[in-house]
Amino acid sequence: MSRPRLSLAMLAGLLFAALPLHAEERSAIPTEYQWDLTALYANETAWQAAKTGIEKRIPAMAGFKGHLADSPVALQSALAYMMDVDRDIARLYTYASQLADQDARVARHLAMRENAEQLNVQFRAASAFMRP
């Protein structure tokens, strides 16, 4: 390797080595640079209440099975219900996922994300008849 390339490689290595090797604590990040998750749910208790509500709505998908072709209204009702639940699960997952991403050391937040993923799997299974 020529001297200029060697010097450049050494300089790049020194600059890279000077970078911090750890993430900043959440409390050290200014509020304006943090996610505002209250736009999704006010707090974890509200998230849990929403999760419980969605869990209760999933079994109702079975009521649409075998009736999609009954009428245009029946199809529209099934699609609207499915999209509403799907939207609410996406919101639930987004909150839990971003909360977990704030600090991967918090097991409760990781569990929330896993619970949201599992709820999505349950919903996909319950609504599978609508996707040929």
Side-chain angles (χ1 to χ4, degrees), residues 40-90:
L40 296 169
Y41 296 103
N43 51 40
E44 291 180 38
T45 303
W47 182 91
Q48 187 61 48
K51 179 182 169 284
T52 300
I54 294 169
E55 288 171 334
K56 292 177 182 176
R57 290 165 52 201
I58 290 175
M61 285 299 302
F64 297 109
K65 190 172 184 177
H67 299 285
L68 298 177
D70 287 357
S71 71
V73 172
L75 178 61
Q76 190 276 333
S77 295
L79 290 172
Y81 191 84
M82 184 183 86
M83 287 187 277
D84 286 346
V85 174
D86 188 51
R87 179 200 60 234
D88 293 345
I89 291 174

Side-chain angles (χ1 to χ4, degrees), residues 3-69:
R3 183 177 284 288
R5 285 187 184 173
L6 182 59
S7 297
L8 186 57
M10 287 175 40
L11 179 61
L14 288 172
L15 288 174
F16 182 73
L19 294 174
L21 298 177
H22 67 283
E24 293 288 330
E25 287 295 324
R26 183 93 176 138
S27 59
I29 306 296
T31 305
E32 62 265 18
Y33 298 116
Q34 296 179 22
W35 288 315
D36 179 14
L37 298 181
T38 60
L40 296 169
Y41 296 103
N43 51 40
E44 291 180 38
T45 303
W47 182 91
Q48 187 61 48
K51 179 182 169 284
T52 300
I54 294 169
E55 288 171 334
K56 292 177 182 176
R57 290 165 52 201
I58 290 175
M61 285 299 302
F64 297 109
K65 190 172 184 177
H67 299 285
L68 298 177

